[in-house]
Amino acid sequence: MEIPAKYNPAEVEDKWYSYWLDNNLFRSVPDNREPYCVVIPPPNVTGVLHMGHMLNNTIQDVLVRRAKMMGKNTCWVPGTDHASIATEAKVVAKLRDEGIDKNSLTRDEFMGHAWDWKEKHGGIILEQLKKMGAACDWERTAFTMDESLSESVIKVFVDLHSKGKIYRGVRMVNWDPQAKTAVSDEEVVYKEIQSKLYYLNYSFDGEDGHVTIATTRPETILGDTAVCVNPNDPRYANLKGKRLIVPLVKRSIPVILDEYVDMEFGTGALKITPAHDINDYTLGDKHNLETIDIFNDDGTLSEAAQLYVGMDRFDVRKKIVVDLEEQGFVEKIENYVNKVGYSERTDAVIEPKLSMQWFLSMKELAKPALDAILNEDIKLHPPKFVNTYRHWMENVKDWCLSRQLWWGHRIPAWYLPGGGYVVAENEEQALVQAKKKTGNQNLAISDLRQDEDVLDTWFSSWLWPISVFDGIRNPHNDDIKYYYPTNVLVTAPEILFFWVARMIIAGYEYRGEKPFETVYLHGIVRDGQRRKMSKSLGNSPDPLDLVKKYGADGMRMGMLLCSAAGNDLLFDESLPEQGRNFCNKIWNAFRLVQGWEVSSDIPQPNHSAVAVNWLNNLINHKVDVLNDYFEKYRLSEALMEVYKLFWDEFSSWFLEIVKPAYQQPIDSKTKEQVLEIFDKMLRLLHPFMPFITEELWQLIAVRKPGASIMVVPQPQENPFDDGVLTRFAEMKEIVAGIRNVRQEKNIPNKELLPLLIKSSKKLSPQLEGVIIKLAGIESLRYTEEPAEGSAGFLVGSMEFFIPLHGFVNEEEEKQKLQQELEYAKGFLGSVMKKLNNERFVNNAPAKVVEIEQNKKADAESKIKVIEERIAGMKSK
RNA sequence: GGGAGUUUAGCUCAGCUGGUUCAGAGCACCUGCCUUACAAGCAGGGGGUCACUGGUUCGAAUCCAGUAACUCCCA
């Protein structure tokens, strides 16, 4: 059967993914093996796969597949997040396209549309994960708004409320006046815009003179309740206790002193509008200032503003500047670049606004979660994030739980007709409580009004490692007992606080135990210019296109090659290309081996036996190295190690040695051993490149139905002989030396060459055989005398000569030797400098001194060899 | 403004508690080869004052201090 010279991933990928599914190879149920459990960071339910997902899930898949081959009962739980604001925004936009205004719908009607949308677009991303080979237990697929997960969320809210941890309070939120909702900090995009800085004069109340303040938002002066200066500012030393008049509205406001004010900025005097700026709010709070909210929910001015009531905030800005100028309050206007927050969804300018919200008190809850990281009960990879984590947790702020949205878990609080509220798991229980609280037994459900808001999405995802196993509602079920705590969480550092820290908090609060052993933080995928990949920039390739182009294995390898933990990774297409090329290399190695005719009549050649022994020793060594890398979550390096092992050692050296001459058969023993080694290589590669390894593993031997490389053990750690590796490395140097001579002298590979060796020690006959084969040597013999007219080179203190009458320029040879001699002398010099330094000899550890002495001896013998050689040439 | 981190070859990064071939890897680059497994390849090769300045030490890419540039997080 003719095998194509190029590997074609499209032909095998779907086949093997179905095979794995059909044979239940991803399925996990508790048994007596050790579990290895990973919960997926749930992507947005209506999202599509982007490069970040590709990286995130490739890493998880590598870890899961390897653990499986280490004999663990692996369980990778997939699922999606309802992502309330993102999904709701998409639904609102879709309805708008259809001419439907969200505000014209009832909550139930809107939820109907939202669920339709979810049914239509939900889960696409999970199907896409299958294309990259994800070994998820699909029977466990979870969604944060599934009944069991929703109930868990509500139960936890009620529980925390009953523990007194949840309270209501006023807070400044990012208000989107177009969508008329608060948006989270993460949904605000800051853009640098060209604007103006207005210098306005505030007169003193009751005396002459004025103070000039600078602001970018002159319309907010209507809400000013103070002017603040730095107490250390000599310009304003006399302002203490004075009052100023706000222009136009003529309100009298105090001057307050606070070191918060940046003396360098503007005039050093800052107007304070507590209702419309977060910093001003904090200052207002500190100095007990009045709060005047001058905006309506849609961004027009409210009655409280007194002027321009009902006008849009941006129209007011233009108008008020004209009015201020007319009345002489404007000192000057400068151009100014500042950062303005825009709503990610509607692109409206965000208005900071005070509103009543639900909060979770964090200080006490955070304590065990902080300790867990500090005492390494949970390990962070890379550990550099520990400090950041600590800083955040030590200064943790209360968590604003409510969002003015419909899509999500509705807050289980019901307001009572006469004021006050109750919190309960459902309407019935709410009613019971309401009756109790009011003493009114005639209350009906219709008398209660449930809070309109939903919970922050993170308030459901923080339970994820517990709720996917139903461990909140049913804390003693078999799954949660077996899989919890999970082994590793793989995610990006940008959500370390939003998600990871909160999961840890929830883990200790609801299981009394950490949710995972290890957190592996990977970087953000960026393009070649370090720009974040984003749709709007158009610099993000569709990962599935790349999978099509380079194969899933090639794409996975491309992701991993640039993914040192915690570093951002700069992705470009050369990476999956490298992955594809590697697949092709593996494929062709298989083609070679597979094509060999076997003869049981010929004995195994010496060079093959020595090569097999060498490579097995090397693999044993590399298994150690790989285990170490995996323990440290250094996946990129682990992959590189396997890559070099396969490409350089296995293909370029090993296969070239054992390869029979053209159209000659191979001895059966070598063939068998080559296949064994091939099998090992495939197993080492499988976690990284599942498809091609399964394909070839199935081809190199007859397998039982249902068998899969997925469940074959990884090669185990075995002792290895260092001497074998060292001697082989020396042999490689010799071969390289000969090849080098060929290259320099332009000698075709086909032309066999004689090789003379002058050396006090001898090579093993087996290795001589290898040299003869690889370097095209016709005869190899030892000599006492340098051969005339030879090209030569040194390996250690061994001298090698290739007689090439007529081809060799004695002068050039001599110069080469002269250079080597100088280098060796320089090297000896630096060694001697150390050894002649008494303080070095006295202070350095004996071992280090010994190393230097060995270096000295080696260098001296090498120098002697070279000098003799040069002397010999001179005498001719 | 507060905090964390980075700076090593053209690019992306390894270099753990100072001391072996400590200056490395992959890619890119250069040269020669279409040698019937693979040109998505083979063989060979060049390339770095380890950001800068000073200090500690017998010895510093590695430890300390300062300087500069960049990145991220929080505000």
Side-chain angles (χ1 to χ4, degrees), chain A residues 296 300-302 307-312:
Chain A
N296 294 311
T300 57
L301 268 71
S302 69
L307 301 169
Y308 316 106
V309 175
M311 271 176 80
D312 183 76

Side-chain angles (χ1 to χ4, degrees), chain A residues 761-813:
Chain A
K761 67 169 187 178
K762 286 201 166 186
L763 295 164
S764 81
Q766 286 92 338
L767 286 178
E768 285 174 8
V770 173
I771 293 169
I772 287 167
K773 179 159 186 193
L774 290 182
I777 297 302
E778 68 173 356
S779 66
L780 179 154
R781 64 184 176 81
Y782 290 83
T783 176
E784 292 299 317
E785 288 304 314
E788 297 226 7
S790 296
F793 59 93
L794 287 162
V795 173
S797 310
M798 301 174 85
E799 285 181 276
F800 296 85
F801 305 99
I802 300 169
L804 290 168
H805 299 286
F807 279 97
V808 174
N809 180 330
E810 286 279 313
E811 252 336 285
E812 276 177 20
E813 289 294 311

Side-chain angles (χ1 to χ4, degrees), chain A residues 91 94-95 98 100 105 108-118:
Chain A
V91 175
K94 178 227 171 206
L95 290 172
E98 295 169 1
I100 303 171
L105 299 175
D108 284 346
E109 283 167 348
F110 178 82
M111 288 301 276
H113 287 292
W115 278 106
D116 286 349
W117 177 270
K118 186 259 172 188

Side-chain angles (χ1 to χ4, degrees), chain A residues 88 91-93 95-96 99-107 109-110 113 175-181 297-298 404-406:
Chain A
E88 179 153 330
V91 175
V92 168
L95 290 172
R96 196 190 308 124
I100 303 171
D101 180 5
K102 181 193 162 191
N103 296 316
S104 72
L105 299 175
T106 66
R107 187 179 189 118
E109 283 167 348
F110 178 82
H113 287 292
W175 187 260
D176 177 341
Q178 193 171 320
K180 291 186 202 156
T181 175
D297 285 355
D298 60 358
Q404 289 66 50
L405 298 165
W406 283 345

Side-chain angles (χ1 to χ4, degrees), chain A residues 476-545:
Chain A
H476 304 295
N477 77 68
D478 290 344
D479 278 352
I480 192 84
K481 281 195 290 188
Y482 182 71
Y483 293 115
Y484 192 96
T486 66
N487 291 72
V488 58
L489 179 82
V490 180
T491 191
E494 51 186 357
I495 53 174
L496 186 57
F497 310 125
F498 299 126
W499 192 44
V500 180
R502 288 168 179 167
M503 276 192 287
I504 298 174
I505 291 173
Y508 283 101
E509 184 69 12
Y510 287 100
R511 298 299 305 173
E513 204 179 354
K514 61 191 163 188
F516 23 72
E517 306 279 345
T518 298
V519 180
Y520 176 93
L521 298 161
H522 56 70
I524 297 166
V525 185
R526 293 173 184 276
D527 70 6
Q529 289 139 54
R530 272 193 194 279
R531 296 176 307 181
K532 213 164 169 170
M533 289 204 170
S534 75
K535 257 189 229 159
S536 49
L537 272 177
N539 61 348
S540 176
D542 179 344
L544 292 186
D545 285 348

Side-chain angles (χ1 to χ4, degrees), chain A residues 363-479:
Chain A
K363 197 103 205 139
E364 272 179 56
L365 287 171
K367 184 79 177 63
L370 173 58
D371 294 344
I373 293 288
L374 293 186
N375 63 27
E376 291 187 36
D377 196 22
I378 298 172
K379 285 171 278 303
L380 288 189
H381 281 276
K384 70 176 175 190
F385 290 104
V386 171
N387 279 339
T388 326
Y389 181 90
R390 172 174 44 200
H391 186 255
W392 192 78
M393 289 298 257
E394 282 174 351
N395 299 288
V396 67
K397 297 202 180 55
D398 286 357
W399 181 3
C400 179
L401 299 178
S402 38
R403 295 290 181 273
Q404 289 66 50
L405 298 165
W406 283 345
W407 175 248
H409 304 101
R410 190 168 178 179
I411 293 178
W414 282 263
Y415 298 99
L416 306 174
Y421 63 88
V422 295
V423 168
E425 283 182 35
N426 53 47
E427 282 185 335
E428 290 72 30
Q429 291 181 24
L431 186 59
V432 173
Q433 281 196 45
K435 285 177 179 168
K436 203 166 139 197
K437 192 159 179 175
T438 57
N440 177 356
Q441 293 305 311
N442 298 324
L443 274 183
I445 288 176
S446 57
D447 295 325
L448 305 180
R449 185 176 53 83
Q450 187 174 0
D451 196 298
E452 292 293 327
D453 291 353
V454 298
L455 289 161
D456 180 11
T457 299
W458 298 111
F459 195 78
S460 60
S461 31
W462 78 324
L463 305 175
W464 188 247
I466 308 173
S467 58
V468 294
F469 298 117
D470 205 9
I472 297 284
R473 296 192 311 172
N474 187 2
H476 304 295
N477 77 68
D478 290 344
D479 278 352

